[in-house]
Amino acid sequence: MTGRVALIGAGPGDPGLLTRAAIVRLRRADLVLYDALIDEGILKYARHAQRFFVGKRAGRHAVTQQAIHTLMIRAARRGRNVVRLKGGDPFVFGRGGEEVLALQRAGVQYEVIPGVSSALAAPAAAGIPVTHRGVASAFLVVSGHDDDGFTSAVSQVVPNGVTIVVLMGLGRSSAIAEALIGRGWSRDTPAAVIVDATKPEQQVWRGTLDELGSDTIDIDATGPGTIVIGEVVAIGARTADEITAEEKTMAAKV
Ligand SMILES: C[S@@+](CC[C@H](N)C(=O)[O-])C[C@H]1O[C@@H](n2cnc3c(N)ncnc32)[C@H](O)[C@@H]1O
């Protein structure tokens, strides 16, 4: 008997964004080890499987990372089809790399099914293109969780030149804004915070980098949130009044 592990990205929250490849693996799973933020509508595909929550609860890990490795390896060695289900994409700030290394060392067969990362889905769900011709030709996805990692990543980019997407940064939004302003980013740079992206309860705040730093964001941030900083933020938010006469003339020709 040889079991295997499928490391699957569950997407940002909306079950409609789960891939077909993920649904196939969930349907034939015997065991599902899932993280926080996984919608019940996604878990229901694994109707024949045992399901274990192994994510973080109130800042504490329900199960240690080492215990997750052991659970996956033992179950696969017993011939079981294991699904390791993670929010977004398994390799974007999800410790998926560590889990793959553990499976390799144990000689367990595995596959990785990519998921739609909130790094892309959250801006898109708020109508923000992370790249836009003539405005931003690149984007940086960075964790806002620790100051050193954030500062080192943003020091690699020219101020105001790219879009910055910050995951795990809601609790440090003012420090993040101050760090960027300190590195030469304009205080007027448009910024957005998207909470619970792609879910019915999605909320979007829009303002400037200066306002992001002022702790006056009017948003209920109990759910997961993504911060987007850059001129592209203004694109999705334009009102009919902001469309120029030249653009209206072009549109009339279509
Ligand atoms: C540990 S990271 C995992 C990221 C995940 N692997 C991915 O690709 O989306 C968790 C962070 O992702 C972001 N996030 C996850 N789901 C989100 C959602 N529905 N809306 C906004 N941000 C989300 C938040 O910044 C959250 O703190």
Side-chain angles (χ1 to χ4, degrees):
M1 282 200 303
T2 36
R4 54 190 289 142
V5 176
L7 192 64
I8 295 180
D14 174 3
L17 294 172
L18 195 62
T19 64
R20 288 171 65 179
I23 293 172
V24 167
R25 271 69 174 181
L26 283 165
R27 283 196 172 131
R28 65 176 185 222
D30 303 309
L31 172 68
V32 177
L33 305 174
Y34 65 99
D35 277 351
L37 309 177
I38 306 287
D39 193 280
E40 183 56 34
I42 291 173
L43 291 172
K44 78 166 198 258
Y45 287 108
R47 61 179 76 98
H48 306 299
Q50 268 185 301
R51 303 180 204 164
F52 283 121
F53 174 73
V54 294
K56 260 190 193 173
R57 212 169 249 156
R60 292 176 52 206
H61 274 288
V63 178
T64 64
Q65 191 63 36
Q66 184 55 48
I68 294 170
H69 298 172
T70 307
L71 281 167
M72 289 193 297
I73 291 165
R74 285 198 184 149
R77 283 182 177 156
R78 286 185 193 131
R80 304 179 83 193
N81 276 318
V82 181
V83 163
R84 174 71 179 104
L85 195 57
K86 291 169 166 290
D89 182 88
F91 284 168
V92 177
F93 299 124
R95 304 189 75 169
E98 287 165 59
E99 295 178 14
V100 156
L101 289 175
L103 294 167
Q104 288 173 354
R105 285 188 207 111
V108 168
Q109 281 188 43
Y110 69 90
E111 62 178 335
V112 180
I113 308 292
V116 178
S117 176
S118 55
L120 297 173
I128 301 167
V130 287
T131 64
H132 188 77
R133 211 176 162 90
V135 178
S137 56
F139 60 96
L140 172 72
V141 179
V142 57
S143 165
H145 187 249
D146 83 282
D147 193 39
D148 288 349
F150 179 80
T151 308
S152 139
V154 296
S155 67
Q156 315 290 323
V157 299
V158 179
N160 308 306
V162 304
T163 304
I164 296 196
V165 180
V166 189
L167 301 189
M168 296 181 281
L170 271 198
R172 294 189 62 253
S173 56
S174 50
I176 285 166
E178 288 309 324
L180 290 174
I181 291 166
R183 284 204 48 76
W185 285 70
S186 160
R187 289 182 177 273
D188 295 333
T189 308
V193 175
I194 307 108
V195 173
D196 286 320
T198 79
K199 299 184 199 170
E201 59 271 29
Q202 171 174 306
Q203 301 168 71
V204 181
W205 170 90
R206 282 188 168 84
T208 62
L209 195 52
D210 202 27
E211 289 163 339
L212 186 70
S214 68
D215 267 340
T216 55
I217 302 175
D218 181 20
I219 201 162
D220 171 15
T222 44
T226 292
I227 304 170
V228 188
I229 298 156
E231 293 299 329
V232 290
V233 170
I235 290 174
R238 293 201 310 169
T239 62
D241 295 344
E242 290 168 308
I243 314 293
T244 62
E246 189 189 351
E247 287 174 283
K248 284 179 187 157
T249 310
M250 278 164 62
K253 288 182 188 153
V254 174

